[in-house]
Amino acid sequence: MPSAHHRVRSVEAEFGGLEAIEGAGVRLRRLFGHAEVPRLDPFLLLDHFRSSDPSDYVAGFPWHPHRGIETVTYMLNGQVDHGDTLGNRGTIDSGDVQWMSSGSGIMHQEMPRRMEGTLDGFQLWVNMPSRSKMSTPEYRGVRGSAFPTVNTDSGTRVKVVAGTYEGALGPVDQLPVDPTYLDVTVRAGETFTAPTVPGHTTFAYPIEGSGKFDPTEHRAIPARTVAVYGDGESVEVRAGADGVRFLLVSGRPIGEPVAWYGPIVMNKQEELQEAIRELRSGDFIKDKHPVVDE
Ligand code: MN
């Protein structure tokens, strides 16, 4: 039984996102981005690419730099071929997650493969605190089968990418903002509750179906709309008539100034100028590795 002081989080903002063209011509939906800083701190951006028309995605994201952020790619369906200056090369497959901490800098490419059916996946950008922005880059490619899944008596299924749920620990850990990243499926009419760390920024993103993400609100949040939570100790989600599948993401706010130039996010304008100078002079990559084939 929750105590009198236990606060279930309320939904404070909803973002339906905007169509955008990114990379070399990938049509996607940007759920939040530059305009939503600092409300989503430490999260900078969420893109959902979802199309059954290969011309919307095959141009992909050819070689480009990142510094100062983590890019988190989660594929629901489809394959993305990738390579980077750390020497990683491979394919992000359906169910897999690539959690890339760019730190001081990487160059990489992310190229969705042409497929029958619907390519469906997400990329979340997580900011890094100033103390980590120039750290050694770190790459984590995790196969779908490596994530623990919790199944409850009421048929709820929780895939734990990062953080914990019911004692299951996600394999992506030891990150600066202590993130939680869950993929939750709740049957029609059932209620899901999960504790959240007070003070951590938390949002939900329904992928399919709909549900009430706020026990004080009667209105449901439709699929493909970000629900940003206010503070509290837990979230409570009641699935609608078709059930609901959603991402639940949480992390510790960083509370530092944000200087953002495309794929590079630092604290100060001078650091962006330095990054641009280094890109021009060839000094951007601090950790060079030979690119090797699998
Ligand atoms: Mn990238």
Side-chain angles (χ1 to χ4, degrees), residues 25-293:
V26 178
R27 189 178 296 272
L28 51 78
R29 179 161 287 268
R30 176 148 298 170
L31 276 310
F32 58 81
H34 201 272
E36 283 70 50
V37 174
R39 184 191 274 273
L40 272 295
D41 180 14
F43 306 108
L44 294 167
L45 171 157
L46 179 65
D47 285 344
H48 188 179
F49 30 94
R50 184 176 188 273
S51 175
S52 52
D53 178 356
S55 68
D56 285 342
Y57 58 79
V58 288
F61 303 87
W63 291 96
H64 60 277
H66 287 290
R67 174 178 285 179
I69 62 167
E70 301 180 329
T71 66
V72 182
T73 305
Y74 178 24
M75 292 306 297
L76 295 183
N77 199 41
Q79 297 178 308
V80 176
D81 294 323
H82 69 91
D84 66 36
T85 46
L86 301 174
N88 301 296
R89 204 175 169 86
T91 303
I92 312 167
D93 214 330
S94 303
D96 297 351
V97 172
Q98 181 197 69
W99 199 301
M100 199 276 298
S101 303
S102 68
S104 62
I106 62 118
M107 299 280 284
H108 74 170
Q109 62 171 343
E110 308 158 278
M111 305 299 287
R113 270 194 214 170
R114 179 182 295 271
M115 65 180 288
E116 300 285 324
T118 304
L119 181 91
D120 201 350
F122 312 99
Q123 187 166 92
L124 175 72
W125 287 13
V126 184
N127 203 0
M128 300 180 85
S130 57
R131 67 171 191 281
S132 306
K133 281 187 181 294
M134 292 305 284
S135 61
T136 302
E138 195 177 345
Y139 177 90
R140 299 161 196 247
V142 186
R143 293 294 174 207
S145 57
F147 296 102
T149 299
V150 178
N151 293 288
T152 73
D153 293 344
S154 58
T156 296
R157 182 177 179 276
V158 182
K159 174 174 172 176
V160 185
V161 172
T164 60
Y165 179 74
E166 293 284 339
L169 183 65
V172 183
D173 61 358
Q174 308 275 321
L175 294 171
V177 304
D178 194 19
T180 296
Y181 192 128
L182 308 177
D183 175 355
V184 184
T185 305
V186 185
R187 281 189 188 161
E190 296 291 343
T191 299
F192 164 86
T193 61
T196 55
V197 180
H200 280 205
T201 301
T202 302
F203 70 86
Y205 181 62
I207 304 163
E208 292 168 29
S210 69
K212 279 170 50 182
F213 284 75
D214 181 337
T216 66
E217 264 277 355
H218 293 291
R219 207 164 44 83
I221 304 282
R224 299 195 280 283
T225 300
V226 167
V228 184
Y229 281 108
D231 203 4
E233 280 83 47
S234 67
V235 296
E236 188 177 310
V237 178
R238 187 176 171 83
D242 299 320
V244 66
R245 181 180 184 185
F246 60 96
L247 305 180
L248 183 65
V249 179
S250 188
R252 185 189 307 109
I254 294 170
E256 294 175 357
V258 172
W260 187 337
Y261 176 75
I264 299 165
V265 183
M266 303 300 285
N267 300 114
K268 299 174 190 158
Q269 288 299 319
E270 304 85 83
E271 293 167 324
L272 296 181
Q273 285 154 15
E274 174 72 9
I276 292 160
R277 268 198 305 277
E278 289 182 353
L279 280 168
R280 289 193 184 125
S281 66
D283 299 325
F284 182 82
I285 301 299
K286 311 299 181 193
D287 290 86
K288 288 195 177 72
H289 294 252
V291 174
V292 291
D293 287 314

